[in-house]
Amino acid sequence: FHYRGRNAYAPLLFLNDSLYDFVSLQLYESWSRCAQAIEQLNESPVTYLIKLVRRLHAGWLIDYRGEFIRLSLNPAQKLVLGFSAGSADASIQKSIYISPSEVALAYNSLPYFLQFRGAMYWNVNLETCYLRNGSQVSCDFAAGFNSFLHVQLSTENDT
């Protein structure tokens, strides 16, 4: 199948993009194109993210029953990128880990109108206990993403 799921929601987005508050792109899915580009083709995570956001904004053609539809996303309004701690066994490279600092660098390298709406991660219960890519280093996605998205303000009572 040529699109491999890339156009499953395309008709709904095309006909009425207000149906969705945001569009999540889960870069952490098993053996994703993101993981392939970074781990097999040696593309830097920052470069990959910048190019991805630019491509989504520029749009793509979808062949919908012989009718070609141009679809694009306004990253600042709709796009939320999803990340994870990677594979428990880093040698398998099933799921990609991109650090919050790399995500921040990509975000801050984009012009304001292309900066994606947000970042998410799988899953919040693993935030402090899951070790990234099977290492001894834990993830801190919430604080890392907040450092550039500024979703939650710090208070003096925060620990």
Side-chain angles (χ1 to χ4, degrees):
F1 181 60
H2 178 69
Y3 292 109
R4 293 187 227 154
R6 290 185 288 170
N7 71 339
Y9 298 100
L12 295 174
L13 282 170
F14 177 76
L15 294 172
N16 185 357
D17 74 345
S18 66
L19 288 172
Y20 302 98
D21 290 331
F22 64 92
V23 175
S24 64
L25 184 55
Q26 300 166 343
L27 300 175
Y28 54 79
E29 290 297 336
S30 300
W31 295 286
S32 68
R33 292 173 189 263
C34 175
Q36 179 186 27
I38 294 168
E39 293 179 342
Q40 295 175 10
L41 303 177
N42 297 313
E43 187 167 4
S44 87
V46 174
T47 300
Y48 179 84
L49 293 173
I50 290 169
K51 286 170 47 178
L52 173 68
V53 170
R54 288 185 181 281
R55 282 194 311 264
L56 291 172
H57 183 259
W60 62 100
L61 287 176
I62 294 175
D63 181 354
Y64 186 66
R65 297 182 179 174
E67 180 181 342
F68 285 91
I69 299 170
R70 174 160 284 293
L71 186 65
S72 65
L73 285 175
N74 180 334
Q77 291 180 358
K78 297 278 185 190
L79 184 60
V80 176
L81 298 178
F83 302 92
S84 83
S87 301
D89 181 352
S91 67
I92 296 174
Q93 297 181 344
K94 179 179 176 183
S95 180
I96 186 75
Y97 168 74
I98 300 175
S99 73
S101 62
E102 292 169 315
V103 179
L105 186 55
Y107 180 88
N108 289 320
S109 296
L110 288 162
Y112 181 75
F113 71 95
L114 289 180
Q115 290 177 337
F116 41 94
R117 180 174 174 186
M120 62 183 194
Y121 56 95
W122 184 264
N123 96 29
V124 71
N125 289 328
L126 303 175
E127 169 70 357
T128 57
C129 65
Y130 199 85
L131 304 178
R132 65 180 186 224
N133 278 344
S135 72
Q136 295 302 309
V137 181
S138 64
C139 297
D140 194 4
F141 284 122
F145 294 154
N146 192 56
S147 72
F148 64 93
L149 292 172
H150 308 292
V151 177
Q152 183 174 5
L153 299 176
S154 298
T155 65
E156 291 180 23
N157 296 330
D158 286 349
T159 54

